[in-house]
């Protein structure tokens, strides 16, 4: 078999897309996925354009692959994902040795693009937006662990002023309900116990049913339907937008036990003035009201978020408001970044009057505050009993097992391989910067929620 290597940059959606590309090319083109780029016959970059640094990584990687192409002209190099969607054929102007350029919505056309490349002996570029046809062209997903991601919708129609997603992945499109449930059922039959529902704005999901005249199904009802599938014991979803976070979704947290005590809900800033400039559509008060309602029905809910530091026009007072919001809501597992000007977005035209040094200083201060809260939550977990899903061997020690708590913390502990793929109870013994250590409470596998 010819060999395939995929280098992935960006969000969890990109990671999932890469897995589906590997499945597709294995079945249709006989390509075997490998972990060493040097031995590959086909090299693919699945890219992210959300920040300038991520985009430049793509061209740096292509530069490293260029000598390989010169030495082996039959080596195929392709670029997909959001940079491909954004730059299109211009990628070949910077890297003329690239053979294939494909967008997030045309990855299913890769087998035909490879065939056309071989027959026509010329580069292939397709970064169009053919709605949601790709899901009908992808093979049944193969489970690789007890957890799995399922894309339920793609694109975003919010058009925040700093974001390229609506331009690189298109507007919101939801998969039909039956298609999602069929995929989840197939994964459950392979031993998957935890499902993570994916979308750029996943809580805007509106799926069609078999009855064309019926009202579309929202994310809350989809979660309930997934929870009813035998074998599915945990449900997560990402990424959300506060404007689409409905009361019905809060009700789902109240009455669906499979839905975890964890939520990723990007707020981006604690300043209403900056939120308006970002065109987020919500205020700080709106955001806090939703979190307070959630914590009423889920007292142990932990919250993660995204923050942009140094947005054009951000003052010291605006940044102080962000720090105040962090203190108020005690975020956990948060991601923070310096604002990155992206081409063709409205904010790219805003005057950027925050110096780079000031942006770096604010980012360091914010990350210190966020890390403080995360470490405090971890320390409070010491001595508690946690139900974790054992996903496999620990990354740094094959003699240990690793799993995740409901609040998405990695837990390493000593146990036997037969526990992989099952839920067990452990007692947390130590809190490390990026993980927890634990002892197995009992060698007996815990009963499922449905039992």
């Amino acid at each position: 078999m010819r060999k395939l290597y995929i280098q992935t940059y960006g969000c969890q959606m990109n990671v999932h897309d890469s897995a589906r590309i590997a499945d597709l090319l294995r079945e249709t083109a006989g390509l075997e996925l490998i972990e060493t780029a040097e031995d590959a016959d086909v090299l693919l970059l699945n890219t992210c354009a959300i920040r300038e640094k991520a985009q430049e990584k793509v061209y740096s990687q292509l530069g490293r692959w260029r000598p390989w192409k010169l030495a082996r002209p039959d080596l195929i190099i392709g670029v997909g994902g959001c940079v491909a969607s954004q730059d299109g054929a211009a990628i070949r102007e910077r890297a003329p040795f690239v053979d294939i350029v494909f967008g997030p919505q045309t990855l299913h056309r890769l087998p035909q693009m490879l065939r056309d490349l071989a027959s026509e002996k010329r580069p292939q570029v397709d970064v169009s937006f053919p709605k949601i046809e790709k899901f009908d062209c992808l093979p049944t997903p193969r489970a690789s662990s007890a957890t799995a991601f399922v894309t339920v919708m793609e694109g975003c129609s919010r058009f925040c002023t700093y974001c390229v997603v609506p331009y690189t992945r298109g507007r919101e499109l939801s998969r039909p309900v039956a298609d999602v449930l069929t995929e989840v059922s197939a994964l459950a039959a392979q031993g998957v116990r935890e499902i993570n529902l994916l979308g750029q704005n996943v809580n805007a999901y509106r799926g069609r049913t078999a009855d064309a005249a019926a009202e579309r199904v929202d994310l809350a009802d989809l979660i309930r339907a997934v929870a009813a599938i035998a074998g599915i014991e945990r449900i997560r979803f990402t990424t959300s937008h506060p404007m689409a976070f409905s009361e019905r979704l809060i009700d789902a947290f109240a009455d669906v036990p499979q839905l975890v005590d964890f939520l990723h809900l990007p707020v981006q800033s604690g300043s209403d003035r900056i939120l308006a400039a970002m065109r987020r559509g919500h205020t700080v008060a709106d955001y806090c009201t939703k979190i307070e309602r959630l914590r009423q029905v889920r007292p142990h809910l932990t919250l993660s978020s995204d923050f942009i530091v140094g947005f054009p026009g951000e003052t010291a007072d605006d940044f102080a408001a962000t720090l105040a919001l962090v203190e108020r809501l005690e975020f956990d597992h948060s991601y923070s970044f310096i604002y990155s000007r992206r081409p063709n977005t409205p904010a790219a035209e805003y005057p950027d009057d925050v110096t780079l040094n000031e942006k770096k200083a604010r980012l360091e201060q914010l990350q210190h505050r966020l890390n403080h809260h995360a470490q405090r939550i971890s320390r409070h977990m010491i001595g508690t009993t946690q139900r974790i899903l054992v996903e496999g061997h620990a990354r740094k020690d094959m003699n240990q097992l690793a799993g995740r708590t409901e609040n998405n913390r990695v837990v390493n502990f000593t146990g036997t391989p037969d526990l992989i793929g099952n839920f067990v109870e452990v007692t947390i013994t130590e809190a490390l910067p990026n993980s927890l250590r634990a002892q197995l409470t009992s060698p007996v596998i815990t009963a499922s929620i449905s039992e």
Side-chain angles (χ1 to χ4, degrees):
M1 295 180 69
R2 292 192 302 162
K3 295 177 173 58
L4 166 70
Y5 176 83
I6 305 175
Q7 176 72 53
T8 306
Y9 297 109
C11 65
Q12 189 56 61
M13 181 74 82
N14 277 24
V15 174
H16 182 57
D17 282 350
S18 291
R20 301 312 315 275
I21 289 171
D23 289 341
L24 175 68
L25 294 183
R26 180 180 54 251
E27 290 199 7
T28 62
L31 288 170
E32 175 190 4
L33 185 67
I34 60 173
E35 296 183 359
T36 52
E38 294 86 347
D39 298 326
D41 302 294
V42 178
L43 295 171
L44 298 181
L45 281 177
N46 193 13
T47 65
C48 174
I50 202 71
R51 289 182 300 279
E52 183 179 9
K53 185 176 180 181
Q55 183 173 355
E56 286 307 311
K57 282 183 178 179
V58 173
Y59 290 102
S60 294
Q61 184 62 61
L62 288 174
R64 288 189 286 271
W65 285 353
R66 182 175 179 273
W68 300 0
K69 179 71 170 181
L70 293 175
R72 296 169 50 201
D74 59 338
L75 175 66
I76 296 172
I77 297 178
V79 178
C82 291
V83 171
S85 182
Q86 177 177 275
D87 292 1
I91 287 175
R92 298 198 69 257
E93 295 178 10
R94 290 185 63 174
F97 52 90
V98 169
D99 301 293
I100 292 176
V101 179
F102 61 98
Q105 305 302 339
T106 53
L107 62 86
H108 63 291
R109 296 178 178 174
L110 267 172
Q112 186 61 49
M113 295 176 79
L114 286 169
R115 289 192 290 269
D116 291 344
L117 175 68
S119 62
E120 299 174 10
K121 307 298 182 185
R122 63 180 179 85
Q124 303 293 311
V125 178
D126 187 348
V127 291
S128 59
F129 291 86
K131 290 199 173 180
I132 211 155
E133 72 174 45
K134 77 177 185 183
F135 293 102
D136 296 327
C137 302
L138 295 173
T140 301
R142 298 201 315 176
S144 58
S145 73
T147 68
F149 293 88
V150 174
T151 300
V152 302
M153 59 89 66
E154 289 202 348
C156 184
S157 302
R158 301 303 313 179
F159 287 92
C160 298
T161 58
Y162 56 84
C163 187
V164 296
V165 167
Y167 309 101
T168 60
R169 283 190 177 263
R171 292 177 179 252
E172 293 164 357
L173 288 169
S174 298
R175 295 178 66 189
V177 177
D179 291 0
V180 174
L181 297 183
T182 296
E183 184 170 333
V184 173
S185 296
L187 290 166
Q190 298 175 62
V192 168
R193 310 291 294 280
E194 177 181 294
I195 291 291
N196 195 326
L197 305 175
L198 284 179
Q200 271 77 34
N201 183 15
V202 68
N203 47 358
Y205 175 82
R206 297 294 183 273
R208 299 192 312 273
T209 64
D211 182 358
E215 185 177 348
R216 292 201 172 199
V217 169
D218 65 6
L219 182 64
D221 281 337
L222 181 66
I223 286 170
R224 290 185 173 90
V226 170
I229 294 174
I232 300 303
E233 302 297 335
R234 263 193 195 165
I235 301 172
R236 304 181 188 271
F237 60 90
T238 194
T239 291
S240 296
H241 192 291
M243 288 296 292
F245 206 95
S246 66
E247 283 291 321
R248 287 175 52 77
L249 196 50
I250 293 174
D251 291 341
F253 274 92
D255 57 34
V256 180
Q258 289 93 335
L259 197 53
V260 298
D261 281 338
F262 177 81
L263 173 66
H264 183 71
L265 188 62
V267 66
Q268 306 299 0
S269 175
S271 163
D272 284 341
R273 193 179 70 85
I274 295 300
L275 290 174
M278 290 177 170
R279 203 188 292 154
R280 291 288 287 168
H282 64 86
T283 64
V284 173
D286 296 333
Y287 186 92
C288 290
T289 296
K290 292 178 189 291
I291 299 307
E292 288 162 4
R293 283 278 295 113
L294 274 166
R295 285 176 168 165
Q296 289 173 1
V297 301
R298 286 288 183 97
H300 302 295
L301 180 86
T302 59
L303 178 68
S304 77
S305 192
D306 293 344
F307 295 90
I308 294 174
V309 172
F311 189 80
E314 183 188 69
T315 65
D317 288 343
D318 293 323
F319 179 66
T322 296
L323 294 180
L325 182 64
V326 169
E327 290 300 316
R328 176 178 176 178
L329 296 181
E330 298 184 322
F331 292 93
D332 182 27
H333 285 300
S334 296
Y335 303 94
S336 51
F337 308 95
I338 289 175
Y339 167 72
S340 180
R341 189 188 300 271
R342 306 313 297 131
N344 303 318
T345 60
E349 304 302 319
Y350 295 175
D352 190 356
D353 53 1
V354 185
T355 68
L356 181 58
N357 285 340
E358 181 62 28
K359 290 176 182 178
K360 289 180 178 179
R362 290 177 185 177
L363 179 65
E364 183 178 1
Q365 187 177 359
L366 176 61
Q367 289 180 335
H368 176 77
R369 194 74 58 89
L370 292 168
N371 289 338
H372 171 76
H373 287 302
Q375 290 166 11
R376 183 184 56 78
I377 292 171
S378 291
R379 288 194 297 270
H380 284 176
M381 294 176 70
I382 296 174
T384 65
T385 298
Q386 300 287 328
R387 183 174 184 262
I388 69 168
L389 177 58
V390 186
E391 298 179 14
H393 291 280
R395 186 168 59 90
K396 294 183 178 180
D397 186 352
M398 290 297 291
N399 294 317
Q400 289 200 318
L401 300 180
R404 288 184 184 270
T405 61
E406 280 211 14
N407 63 348
N408 212 31
R409 275 172 166 68
V410 174
V411 180
N412 297 317
F413 67 100
T414 301
T416 53
D418 60 295
L419 298 178
I420 294 174
N422 293 286
F423 287 93
V424 299
E425 288 186 348
V426 298
T427 300
I428 306 301
T429 59
E430 187 177 1
L432 302 174
N434 299 308
S435 64
L436 302 172
R437 286 180 179 164
Q439 290 182 343
L440 192 63
T441 302
S442 168
V444 179
I445 297 170
T446 61
S448 68
I449 292 174
S450 59
E451 294 172 346

